[in-house]
Amino acid sequence: MKFGPVSPKEAIGGVAVHAIRQSGVVLKKGTLITGADAEALVHAGVKEIVVARLEANDVSEDEAASGVAQMIAGEGIHVEKAFTGRCNLFAARPGILMVDRKAVDELNRVDESITFATLPAFKAVTEGEMIATVKLIPFGIDRAVYDKAVDAAHQRRIDVVPFTVKRVGVVSTMLPGLAPKVIDKTVQVTKERLARAGAGVIAERRVQHTEPALRDAVKELVDLGSELVLIFGASAIADRRDIIPLAVENVGGKVEHFGMPVDPGNLLLVGRIGEVPVIGAPGCARSPKENGFDWVLMRLLANLKMTREEITAMGVGGLLMEVIQRPHPRVPEPDVIETDVTAIILAAGRSTRMGGPNKLLEKIDGKPLVRIVAEQALASRAESVVVVTGHQHERIEEALRGLDVGFVHNPDFAEGLATSLKAGIKAVPPSSGAALVCLGDMPLVDSKVLDRLIESFAPEKDGLIAIPVAEGRRGNPVLWSRRLFKELLTLEGDIGARHIIMKHNELVVEVPTTGVGVFLDVDTPEALADALKHR
C-alpha cells in the first residue's frame, strides 16, 4: 500500500487519511477521492493531501475485517457489515460466550495491522449484544498477511452456546429469625435471574434447616423433573460435612467442589445428583447484584460442566471490588434484601425553639404531629417503621399507642441530632437494604412522597441516596442505602448528613415534588401556624 502526501489531482482514486475542513470544503477521513473532490480541494487552496492507495496485492480494510470476522464467527453469532475497517460480531441468541484465549492471542499476534477484541470468556450474553470486534488499523493490508490472519481465525472459532436448561427446582431452608419475606425476595430475585436464560422455577420448597428435611426436598425436586436444583441455606455452608453437602450426598449425589475464588461468592457448592447439577448458593445470591453465583448458574443453564478445574480457574478477575456503588462481599449480611426499606422517625429532640411545649405532641386536626408522621410512614411502601425517642419518650410512645411501629430509645439525645440518627440506623432490621430517615416534626410529608422516594431508590444503577426536590431545593426526608450506613455512623453532635450527600453527589437521585411539605418542619409556634394553613 502506498501512503503519503500528494497533490489533489494525484490523490484521485486514493483514500483520504485525515479529515480536511478548509474554505467550505469538508472531506471526511476514509473518503475515496474523486475528480470532483480533487477540483474542490484545489479551489479551496489545498495544495497537498495525505492519501493511502491500495496496490494490486492489497486487501481493503473492510474486506479484510469482514473476512477475518466471518471466519472466526462460530455458532450463534451474527456478523455485521464492515465499515471503516471495523467489523462487529453480535450474539444471535442468548447464551454463554465461548472464547478460546489462545486463539484470540494468536490472531492478534499475526500482524500489528489486525486487532481482535471480545467480551470476557463465559460471559452470559443476550440476543443482539455486541460480543467482539475486528479492526483493521491501516486502510489495507498485504494479501499474504490477510491469508495468515484468516488461517489463524479458522483454527479456533468463538461461539455462543445456547441456554438449554429450562426446569429449575428451588429449596430454601429455614431457621428462627429468618423472615419469610427474605425467602420471598430470594425466590423472586432467582426467578428474574433465570428468566434472562429462558428458564423458570417448576417447584419451590421451604424446609427446616436439617439434613433429613433438606434431603427429602431435594429428592422430590429431582423426581419432579428439575434439570437444575438450587439450595438457599438459612445458614451459609461452613464445611463439606455441613447440612447442605451431606443432604446432596445422602440423596445419592456427589459434591464436586466447595468454595470458589470469587468474592462475593466464596461459599458456593457445586454437586450433581445423577445428571442433575446442584448449587448450594452463597449468601450473596440473595442479592440481584452480579456475584460468583451468577457465573456458575449461567454456565450450568447452558449445560456446561462445572468441575473443580473450571471453578478454580475463576480467580483472575474474581475479586469484585469493594466500592460504595457495589455491595461489599461481607456487608450487607447474606439475608439482606437490598430494595427493602425501613422508615426511621427521629422523635427524640427537646423542642427548645418551641418555647416550652414538646412540638411533636402539638396537634393538627386533633392528632399529635409525631402520630401524623408515623401514620404516613406506615401507609407507605416501607417494610417497617422505627421511632427513635429521647426527650419525654413515655409521652411520645403514648401518642403512638396502637400503631405498628418499633421503638428505640436514645439516652444521648441531648448531645445532638447525630446520636438519634445513629440509634435509628443501628435499629434497622438486618434484612433491610435502606433507611428512609423522616423527621417527626414534618407532618406535611405524606405517604405518596415517601413512596416516590422508595420507588426512586435504584441500587442497581448506583442511585443510593433519594432526596425530594421542590423549586430547585432539596428537602426531607432522605433515603439512604445500607452501603452508606457505615459513614452515617461516624456523625457527631448536632450536624446532619449534608456533607455525606455532597461527598457522594453522584449517587443522589433527586425526586421532584411540589408544595412546602418537604421543607416545613414545625420548630416554632409560627411554623405550626404555617403547617395548619397548608394542611
Side-chain angles (χ1 to χ4, degrees):
M1 182 179 68
K2 294 182 179 179
F3 182 98
V6 295
S7 68
K9 290 186 178 180
E10 293 173 318
I12 297 173
V15 176
V17 172
H18 308 294
I20 293 179
R21 292 178 177 83
Q22 184 170 322
S23 301
V25 173
V26 178
L27 193 68
K28 294 182 179 180
K29 174 184 175 181
T31 300
L32 182 65
I33 299 173
T34 65
D37 293 327
E39 186 175 344
L41 290 170
V42 170
H43 284 122
V46 177
K47 300 188 182 314
E48 192 174 75
I49 178 174
V50 179
V51 299
R53 193 186 303 273
L54 298 181
E55 298 182 283
N57 62 331
D58 288 335
V59 179
S60 71
E61 57 177 347
D62 286 349
E63 181 184 351
S66 179
V68 172
Q70 292 285 353
M71 189 58 67
I72 206 165
E75 296 294 324
I77 295 176
H78 165 70
V79 180
E80 199 173 63
K81 182 179 179 181
F83 180 72
T84 63
R86 181 180 299 280
C87 191
N88 297 325
L89 293 81
F90 295 84
R93 61 192 178 195
I96 297 294
L97 177 62
M98 301 295 289
V99 177
D100 186 326
R101 171 65 181 267
K102 184 178 179 182
V104 175
D105 291 345
E106 286 182 358
L107 178 56
N108 282 317
R109 289 168 183 158
V110 167
D111 191 85
E112 65 183 26
S113 61
I114 303 171
T115 66
F116 180 53
T118 77
L119 294 179
F122 301 110
K123 184 181 186 302
V125 297
T126 58
E127 182 178 354
E129 182 175 355
M130 182 175 168
I131 58 174
T133 185
V134 177
K135 172 63 179 173
L136 264 289
I137 303 299
F139 292 98
I141 58 173
D142 185 273
R143 182 163 294 277
V145 174
Y146 170 72
D147 290 342
K148 187 176 179 181
V150 168
D151 184 62
H154 177 69
Q155 298 303 315
R156 297 181 184 86
R157 294 187 168 197
I158 65 173
D159 301 277
V160 173
V161 177
F163 295 117
T164 56
V165 172
K166 304 300 180 185
R167 298 164 57 85
V168 180
V170 175
V171 57
S172 302
T173 67
M174 300 181 295
L175 284 172
L178 180 63
K181 69 177 182 180
V182 172
I183 298 178
D184 294 340
K185 291 293 181 67
T186 299
V187 173
Q188 182 58 38
V189 166
T190 302
K191 288 179 177 179
E192 292 170 0
R193 273 192 169 97
L194 296 173
R196 298 198 294 265
V201 175
I202 65 163
E204 184 229 335
R205 299 290 182 265
R206 302 181 185 190
V207 300
Q208 292 303 309
H209 191 70
T210 65
E211 187 278 325
L214 179 57
R215 178 189 63 212
D216 292 346
V218 171
K219 183 178 186 304
E220 180 188 3
L221 292 176
V222 172
D223 291 344
L224 286 172
S226 298
E227 299 171 283
L228 170 65
V229 174
L230 305 179
I231 303 173
F232 293 91
S235 179
I237 306 171
D239 189 273
R240 272 180 171 262
R241 294 160 291 188
D242 211 339
I243 287 173
I244 292 176
L246 281 180
V248 171
E249 291 176 344
N250 290 341
V251 81
K254 176 184 178 183
V255 174
E256 297 186 331
H257 190 72
F258 171 50
M260 68 184 304
V262 179
D263 197 344
N266 294 141
L267 302 181
L268 177 140
L269 178 144
V270 174
R272 190 169 289 273
I273 301 171
E275 294 301 314
V276 178
V278 179
I279 300 179
C284 59
R286 297 186 188 277
S287 167
K289 297 291 277 188
E290 182 182 14
N291 56 73
F293 173 71
D294 292 280
W295 295 12
V296 174
L297 173 66
M298 290 301 165
R299 292 201 207 183
L300 289 176
L301 291 173
N303 209 23
L304 298 173
K305 299 293 185 182
M306 286 305 303
T307 64
R308 181 178 187 277
E309 287 70 23
E310 276 77 26
I311 294 176
T312 55
M314 293 179 173
V316 176
L319 176 60
L320 305 183
M321 298 301 291
E322 297 191 38
V323 294
I324 195 69
Q325 288 90 339
R326 176 183 291 137
H328 293 186
R330 294 173 181 83
V331 181
E333 292 80 10
D335 57 349
V336 167
I337 302 300
E338 195 164 33
T339 52
D340 275 6
V341 175
T342 292
I344 299 172
I345 299 175
L346 302 184
R350 292 177 292 174
S351 303
T352 54
R353 295 175 59 193
M354 201 67 184
N358 188 330
K359 62 181 178 181
L360 301 179
L361 301 176
E362 293 293 302
K363 294 183 178 180
I364 295 179
D365 296 336
K367 289 184 180 180
L369 301 188
V370 69
R371 189 175 184 94
I372 294 172
V373 174
E375 288 179 344
Q376 293 303 315
L378 289 168
S380 76
R381 294 176 56 185
E383 295 287 333
S384 58
V385 179
V386 174
V387 180
V388 181
T389 62
H391 178 61
Q392 297 182 344
H393 64 92
E394 298 94 345
R395 295 185 64 192
I396 298 296
E397 292 175 16
E398 179 62 28
L400 299 176
R401 180 185 292 275
L403 298 183
D404 185 20
V405 300
F407 293 96
V408 56
H409 180 61
N410 172 26
D412 303 318
F413 66 89
E415 295 179 16
L417 175 68
T419 61
S420 293
L421 177 57
K422 290 193 287 187
I425 290 296
K426 290 176 182 177
V428 172
S431 60
S432 288
L436 179 56
V437 180
C438 306
L439 303 183
D441 62 355
M442 297 187 71
L444 299 188
V445 176
D446 61 23
S447 61
K448 293 180 181 179
V449 172
L450 302 183
D451 282 346
R452 292 186 66 187
L453 290 168
I454 294 171
E455 292 163 2
S456 299
F457 176 47
E460 74 282 359
K461 299 178 182 178
D462 296 338
L464 304 184
I465 306 171
I467 303 177
V469 175
E471 299 179 353
R473 295 169 56 202
R474 290 177 173 178
N476 281 293
V478 178
L479 186 149
W480 298 87
S481 166
R482 177 176 284 273
R483 302 183 215 170
L484 291 153
F485 284 12
K486 185 175 180 180
E487 289 193 59
L488 292 175
L489 291 174
T490 65
L491 296 174
E492 298 290 342
D494 206 28
I495 300 175
R498 183 174 298 178
H499 71 283
I500 297 178
I501 294 174
M502 294 176 64
K503 176 182 176 182
H504 298 296
N505 201 50
E506 75 280 5
L507 306 180
V508 172
V509 178
E510 293 190 336
V511 180
T513 61
T514 58
V516 299
V518 298
F519 306 121
L520 183 56
D521 53 338
V522 180
D523 280 334
T524 64
E526 294 76 17
L528 177 60
D530 200 13
L532 287 167
K533 286 192 304 183
H534 288 91
R535 184 66 177 168

